[in-house]
Amino acid sequence: MVTLGCARNEVDSEELAARLESAGWQLGDDDPDVIVVNTCGFIESAKKDSIDTLLAAADSGAKVVAAGCMAERYGAELADALPEAAAVISFDDYTDIGGRLDDVLAGRPLKPHTPRDRRTLLPISPVERVNGSAHIPGHGALPAGLAPASGPRTLRKRLSGGPVASLKLASGCDRRCTFCAIPAFRGAYVSRQPDDLVAEAAWLAEQGVRELVLVSENSTSYGKDLGDLRALEKLLPRLAGVDGIDRVRVSYLQPAELRPGLLDVIAATEGVAPYFDLSFQHASGPVLRRMRRFGDPQRFLDLLAQVRERAPEAGVRSNFIVGFPGETEAQFAELADFLTEARLDVIGVFGYSDEDGTEAASFDGKLDPDEVEQRVAALTELAEELTAQRAEERIGTELEVLIEEDLGDGGYEGRAAHQGPEVDGAVTVQGIGLLPGQIVRAVAVDSEGVDLIARIKAGS
């Protein structure tokens, strides 16, 4: 199983792994019969990476199956363009993934699907309950090592160790951003039930997880389809109270939907990281309107002020699209000025490119690709300077660091509450006898870019 893309894909792979194991398949790296590549289809570079990975997998001699977002998005078109793949499967194939791989191994051809707009489709419950036990349709009780009957609604098997794991709040998205194709192939927003999430959190804790990272296409929409706009506010304290879970982190927050009550819960609940992954995408009001989003520099700065009033050391990150159709030099400068004032911990910069099936692909005012590239380079350079300065501001502050890896020679790598996994930098802690999964109090003594160097606080 090879996973590309975001944390949501990682959870999808763990759900597929559970179904495969229940169906009698064994996951391993040594001389596989089949390689399943869980692809990403979000932007052009991700699609290229997916194709390269599929071709490399085919060179191994194993049968290759394309799954995930790119496979769902292009279906038969991808199958025609990539004969090296033995099969291209849809999300609809996931509930019987074992059977699909049985067909692939036996050489029975699988007809690739014709993609359709999934926003009009109803979700299918992937797990049945039989006499109080979890079953996959067509299979018996779960083998040892998978989430138990009291666990998640969707079956899951951890594919990696470590004290951090993602917990998927929902699937799909109801927003209609003009640059994004995700709602069309992921479908409408469907929240998972709070009790299922708490049960999965307890199961993850039993597997050694100490930090939960809540993921979805838009976490601030959680509970809307359940009829409760305060569902996430109520869920976070429950998750933080799960025995064995020390930290809960929320990702993918929409600024326009970050209500004061939710802001308060994230900023002030013990066990919930004061961490705000805010999807700004731009700062210029006119550009945001063309994106079918809301906000402007002052509104965003006011929101950041509210965050820091409640939690002065909160971590804040965001991503920005540069070169959107019609973006003027003045609007680009407005974005740069906003970043200078915003004092974000992490800034992701992406150049605009047309995505199939999106409204923006038909917009006038497309910028020359060279101009987009120049603006990306300029904003990236500014972002690196600004985030390094923000890290320097944290020197001398006390950090709660979750230890993730022993680096040897008295050094340990971990993350503070203001740092999300993989993309937000890390903290190197100098100490003795620390263990992965342990949270220690340390003082930042130096910085390198967005990374910090810290020493264990005396007496901790």
Side-chain angles (χ1 to χ4, degrees):
M1 179 78 70
V2 179
T3 306
L4 304 174
C6 66
R8 290 158 298 197
N9 258 16
E10 293 173 3
V11 177
D12 287 350
S13 287
E14 294 194 346
E15 292 170 358
L16 286 172
R19 299 180 187 284
L20 285 167
E21 188 161 300
S22 180
W25 285 79
Q26 181 178 4
L27 275 76
D29 297 327
D30 297 331
D31 193 26
D33 297 303
V34 179
I35 298 176
V36 178
V37 180
N38 189 354
T39 61
C40 178
F42 181 44
I43 56 177
E44 197 62 38
S45 59
K47 288 184 279 191
K48 182 181 183 303
D49 190 27
S50 293
I51 293 294
D52 291 344
T53 302
L54 287 162
L55 291 173
D59 288 341
S60 70
K63 293 180 182 293
V64 176
V65 174
C69 291
M70 187 177 181
E72 174 64 38
R73 187 175 179 184
Y74 294 102
E77 181 182 349
L78 178 61
D80 290 342
L82 198 71
E84 293 86 351
V88 175
I89 64 173
S90 166
F91 294 152
D92 294 331
D93 294 309
Y94 282 16
T95 53
D96 191 23
I97 183 65
R100 299 296 186 271
L101 264 59
D102 288 341
D103 291 337
V104 167
L105 196 59
R108 294 186 288 269
L110 294 179
K111 183 179 179 180
H113 64 284
T114 299
R116 61 203 190 282
D117 191 332
R118 301 188 71 88
R119 287 172 289 195
T120 62
L121 303 178
L122 294 174
I124 299 173
S125 179
V127 175
E128 297 175 346
R129 303 287 180 185
V130 180
N131 296 327
S133 296
H135 286 242
I136 302 177
H139 297 280
L142 303 180
L146 302 189
S150 60
R153 177 181 63 84
T154 303
L155 306 176
R156 181 172 181 180
K157 175 183 174 64
R158 291 205 75 195
L159 295 177
S160 60
V164 182
S166 296
L167 180 62
K168 188 163 62 176
L169 287 174
S171 296
C173 184
D174 287 336
R175 298 186 69 88
R176 296 295 182 267
C177 302
T178 59
F179 56 82
C180 184
I182 287 177
F185 62 83
R186 275 287 184 181
Y189 195 91
V190 180
S191 302
R192 296 181 60 195
Q193 291 292 334
D195 288 348
D196 286 335
L197 290 165
V198 173
E200 182 168 344
W203 175 76
L204 287 167
E206 293 173 358
Q207 311 301 307
V209 171
R210 294 295 170 258
E211 177 177 318
L212 300 173
V213 182
L214 309 188
V215 298
S216 72
E217 274 71 24
N218 173 14
S219 296
T220 40
S221 282
Y222 178 73
K224 283 185 175 180
D225 54 324
L226 303 178
D228 187 356
L229 294 176
R230 298 185 59 238
L232 187 56
E233 298 171 35
K234 299 172 184 176
L235 175 65
L236 286 171
R238 292 184 64 189
L239 293 174
V242 170
D243 189 29
I245 297 299
D246 295 316
R247 181 187 288 167
V248 179
R249 183 184 305 276
V250 189
S251 58
Y252 308 113
L253 300 169
Q254 285 286 346
E257 297 180 1
L258 188 54
R259 299 169 296 280
L262 179 57
L263 197 161
D264 288 338
V265 168
I266 295 175
T269 302
E270 184 177 358
V272 176
Y275 174 80
F276 294 83
D277 177 9
L278 297 171
S279 180
F280 287 133
Q281 301 299 348
H282 209 279
S284 168
V287 175
L288 287 165
R289 301 303 175 272
R290 288 195 295 276
M291 291 178 170
R292 199 171 287 133
R293 298 175 68 86
F294 304 95
D296 55 48
Q298 192 55 55
R299 290 181 184 179
F300 289 165
L301 290 172
D302 288 347
L303 175 59
L304 292 172
Q306 293 175 48
V307 166
R308 288 165 176 149
E309 180 182 2
R310 292 164 171 81
E313 299 303 326
V316 185
R317 77 173 325 274
S318 190
N319 293 324
F320 298 88
I321 297 174
V322 174
F324 193 76
E327 181 192 64
T328 65
E329 290 186 7
Q331 290 165 346
F332 175 72
E334 188 176 19
L335 172 57
D337 290 343
F338 166 74
L339 292 184
T340 301
E341 291 189 65
R343 295 172 55 241
L344 305 180
D345 291 278
V346 179
I347 299 168
V349 180
F350 300 89
Y352 172 82
S353 62
D354 287 338
E355 284 296 313
D356 298 333
T358 62
E359 187 178 349
S362 65
F363 284 0
D364 295 331
K366 301 285 177 60
L367 276 66
D368 185 276
D370 289 340
E371 176 63 25
V372 174
E373 187 174 338
Q374 290 172 14
R375 293 187 185 186
V376 168
L379 201 69
T380 298
E381 182 178 0
L382 175 63
E384 290 175 351
E385 178 183 347
L386 293 172
T387 53
Q389 290 174 2
R390 180 66 182 129
E392 288 178 5
E393 293 176 7
R394 293 189 181 275
I395 294 175
T397 62
E398 184 174 312
L399 311 170
E400 288 191 348
V401 183
L402 174 65
I403 301 300
E404 296 183 358
E405 183 180 358
D406 184 347
L407 302 175
D409 296 326
Y412 300 83
E413 184 173 279
R415 286 175 303 102
H418 72 276
Q419 297 170 317
E422 298 184 6
V423 291
D424 285 5
V427 180
T428 299
V429 178
Q430 300 165 350
I432 298 174
L434 306 182
L435 297 172
Q438 181 180 1
I439 289 185
V440 299
R441 304 183 80 84
V443 176
V445 297
D446 201 355
S447 65
E448 296 179 356
V450 296
D451 297 325
L452 294 172
I453 299 171
R455 292 196 183 98
I456 294 292
K457 184 180 179 182
S460 64

